[in-house]
Amino acid sequence: NVKGGEKEPLGPGMSGYGSVAGGMAEGKVTHRRESIVMLECAFIMRDEFLRQGATVVMTRETENRRFSNLERDAVANEAGAHVMLRLHGDLNKNTQNRGHGVYYPVNSDYARAVADTDTYRAYGQLILDALNARNVGRTNKSTLEGTDRFVGNNWAMMPCFLVELGFMS
């Protein structure tokens, strides 16, 4: 099990380290942990993808086990996944923020071998547009960003997106 404060290499062909821990946000009103809420969302998404005929591989199916970013990427890499979605709940001091974020890798060797930045941006925009379409009138902040700060995006050998499904705050 992953412990807080641990570090992982940032990505192939990159220098530096990133945090192993994630999913630590908590609902401002509900006090439910991000890791539980996102697992519930993942089950809903899994069921819909399966209904549409997709093959789905989950990196976790219980709250009892915490995986590092590298372990999660290894699951997707070994399964030969075509795309990886990393689900998160955003947190901000401004409790009025509503919306979604989609983040994609930029400079890791793996990301560059999969697609160019314009392709990642186009795929990410499709994801963001779909999320925003489901939340008409409840979105005041949408983010689409290429960034190297998310270890879990950098080690994926397929298009990988960190998707902030909403604000826990």
Side-chain angles (χ1 to χ4, degrees):
N1 257 354
V2 172
K3 296 177 179 67
E6 294 181 47
K7 299 286 186 183
E8 295 174 300
L10 193 55
M14 304 170 76
S15 61
Y17 292 86
S19 175
V20 171
M24 301 301 188
E26 183 178 282
K28 180 76 171 177
V29 174
T30 64
H31 302 289
R32 296 184 73 225
R33 289 191 317 271
E34 175 186 7
S35 57
I36 293 171
V37 174
M38 291 304 117
L39 185 59
E40 291 169 348
C41 291
F43 288 140
I44 292 167
M45 291 174 71
R46 176 203 61 195
D47 293 349
E48 179 59 22
F49 288 144
L50 289 171
R51 188 188 69 72
Q52 292 185 31
T55 300
V56 177
V57 176
M58 303 276 289
T59 56
R60 71 180 176 103
E61 293 190 21
T62 71
E63 171 61 16
N64 300 339
R65 176 80 161 87
R66 301 205 30 102
F67 291 88
S68 72
N69 294 302
L70 292 175
E71 289 170 325
R72 290 172 191 265
D73 285 342
V75 169
N77 292 340
E78 290 169 15
H82 293 161
V83 67
M84 182 175 183
L85 301 176
R86 303 176 56 234
L87 307 181
H88 287 268
D90 215 340
L91 191 61
N92 194 289
K93 290 179 183 176
N94 179 353
T95 59
Q96 300 307 304
N97 276 349
R98 305 282 185 271
H100 314 285
V102 177
Y103 301 89
Y104 55 90
V106 178
N107 291 308
S108 85
D109 289 347
Y110 289 177
R112 287 192 292 214
V114 170
D116 61 34
T117 302
D118 290 339
T119 300
Y120 270 107
R121 183 181 317 283
Y123 288 164
Q125 189 66 57
L126 290 171
I127 296 167
L128 189 60
D129 289 348
L131 290 168
N132 287 337
R134 298 294 300 239
N135 288 286
V136 175
R138 293 182 294 187
T139 300
N140 68 4
K141 182 179 186 322
S142 291
T143 303
L144 176 63
E145 181 183 339
T147 179
D148 294 327
R149 70 180 185 268
F150 299 117
V151 173
N153 285 5
N154 298 333
W155 287 94
M157 296 178 176
M158 75 289 303
C160 181
F161 301 89
L162 185 148
V163 182
E164 297 282 5
L165 292 177
F167 282 84
M168 299 291 295
S169 49

